[in-house]
Amino acid sequence: MSLPYGVDVTVPSVARMYDSLLGGHDNYPSDRTAVEQLLERVPSMRELALNNRAFLRRVVHVLAAEYGIRQFIDHGSGLPTQDNVHEIAQRVDPSSRVVYIDNDPIVRTIGGVLLESDENTAVLQADMRETDAIFASEPVERLIDPEEPVAALFVSVLHCIPDSDGPAELVVRVADRLPDGSMLVVCQLVSESPQVRDFVTRFMDEQTQGHWGRVRQKKDVADFCAPLDLIEPKLVEVSAWRPGPHEVPAQLSWEWEEFGGVGFVRR
Ligand SMILES: C[S@@+](CC[C@H](N)C(=O)[O-])C[C@H]1O[C@@H](n2cnc3c(N)ncnc32)[C@H](O)[C@@H]1O
């Protein structure tokens, strides 16, 4: 598969580093070197990524199986991996529809081949801040019925949105566009230690030339979730969010964690 024009694979990308952490193959030496260096300093990073992805899988299953959600908009979806959102949702109901959104051109190229496996799934290359353009896009107009509940996912992506671009306002903007009965999923990397926040933020931004973002605090995630009526267990470290019978909440280091929850959009 040829690379999209203009992609510089000597600079690590957020999507490809995350893919490498999850054990995927859609990454390059620059991404793997950056991940190795990060793991030397913060060895729990891989576990954190795996926990995050397992959370996403559980959430999508619960939303589809217990809450009857059949439409998903996945902001910052990342590269295809095992058990993507449409596969989980379509195991519950094959007619489930998913629009994946990511601004990384490699996600569009690889995702377009692997994720658009049926007419109910689409990949849109877009900046998730462009809410109006996203809701007016062909895939959203074709796949998302504005009369039926939708789940909008912001799973481990809001760290990429600087405070100056209003991550909380982005969540409100999307929530306002969704029909009654819709749900939102929000989680973000947090630490209550200023040293950890500074180190990870600086390291990742150096690696990705400023594209990675920032570690925040739990209170910021609570702010992002202000437009939601959170369902149980409300806001938690994500491996503790409704773990399956064979899953043990597994967080090695409490210095930093992926923290979030799921809720109904409040009207
Ligand atoms: C850490 S990955 C999370 C992937 C997936 N949501 C998950 O939790 O498994 C973050 C993703 O957000 C994407 N991303 C970052 N900033 C974005 C933006 N402004 N608009 C759309 N996607 C963005 C990156 O390209 C990357 O694929």
Side-chain angles (χ1 to χ4, degrees):
M1 191 180 303
S2 59
L3 278 172
Y5 181 74
V7 171
D8 180 357
V9 295
T10 65
V11 178
S13 97
V14 178
R16 298 191 317 255
M17 282 181 71
Y18 182 66
D19 177 66
S20 168
L21 279 168
L22 293 179
H25 301 292
D26 297 317
N27 48 73
Y28 292 86
S30 65
D31 308 305
R32 295 192 283 276
T33 303
V35 164
E36 278 164 23
Q37 288 173 5
L38 181 64
L39 288 173
E40 274 170 24
R41 300 294 296 272
V42 272
S44 59
M45 183 49 136
R46 190 184 301 282
E47 177 199 44
L48 194 134
L50 292 167
N51 279 345
N52 176 66
R53 194 69 202 183
F55 164 72
L56 182 140
R57 285 198 290 268
R58 289 197 304 282
V59 166
V60 172
H61 177 76
V62 166
L63 293 183
E66 296 181 26
Y67 291 88
I69 299 284
R70 297 293 179 263
Q71 324 191 83
F72 295 82
I73 301 180
D74 187 2
H75 295 86
S77 52
L79 282 154
T81 178
Q82 271 188 341
D83 261 354
N84 298 293
V85 172
H86 72 286
E87 292 161 328
I88 300 164
Q90 289 176 357
R91 276 204 287 275
V92 177
D93 181 340
S95 73
S96 300
R97 279 99 58 209
V98 178
V99 179
Y100 293 105
I101 296 163
D102 206 287
N103 64 352
D104 189 322
I106 288 198
V107 174
R108 177 73 200 86
T109 306
I110 297 175
V113 176
L114 298 180
L115 297 176
E116 288 177 333
S117 53
D118 64 87
E119 60 188 18
N120 288 334
T121 309
V123 181
L124 177 66
Q125 185 186 338
D127 190 311
M128 69 176 127
R129 287 166 284 201
E130 304 291 336
T131 308
D132 287 347
I134 288 170
F135 277 80
S137 69
E138 186 279 328
V140 171
E141 293 213 322
R142 176 166 52 89
L143 294 178
I144 304 295
D145 180 346
E147 304 295 322
E148 264 187 53
V150 177
L153 313 185
F154 290 95
V155 178
S156 194
V157 292
L158 289 173
H159 62 272
C160 300
I161 307 298
D163 292 343
S164 53
D165 286 356
E169 289 77 5
L170 167 60
V171 173
V172 169
R173 220 161 46 237
V174 171
D176 284 349
R177 302 294 292 254
L178 299 179
D180 287 354
S182 292
M183 302 181 81
L184 251 83
V185 184
V186 173
C187 69
Q188 138 102 51
L189 193 54
V190 301
S191 174
E192 302 310 308
S193 152
Q195 290 84 355
V196 173
R197 282 203 300 278
D198 288 353
F199 167 72
V200 178
T201 299
R202 214 166 347 97
F203 177 89
M204 290 298 287
D205 265 351
E206 273 163 19
Q207 294 293 332
T208 61
Q209 296 192 348
H211 289 297
W212 183 75
R214 68 274 318 127
V215 181
R216 291 193 169 97
Q217 293 179 263
K218 289 182 181 178
K219 65 178 173 54
D220 300 315
V221 179
D223 287 348
F224 299 159
C225 293
L228 305 182
D229 285 325
L230 290 162
I231 61 173
E232 291 299 330
K234 301 203 171 158
L235 295 180
V236 289
E237 186 279 311
V238 296
S239 70
W241 196 92
R242 304 199 188 188
H246 306 296
E247 284 170 304
V248 181
Q251 173 76 15
L252 271 184
S253 155
W254 292 100
E255 277 190 323
W256 64 335
E257 58 191 88
E258 195 72 33
F259 183 75
V262 180
F264 282 98
V265 174
R266 191 178 306 120
R267 295 298 180 207

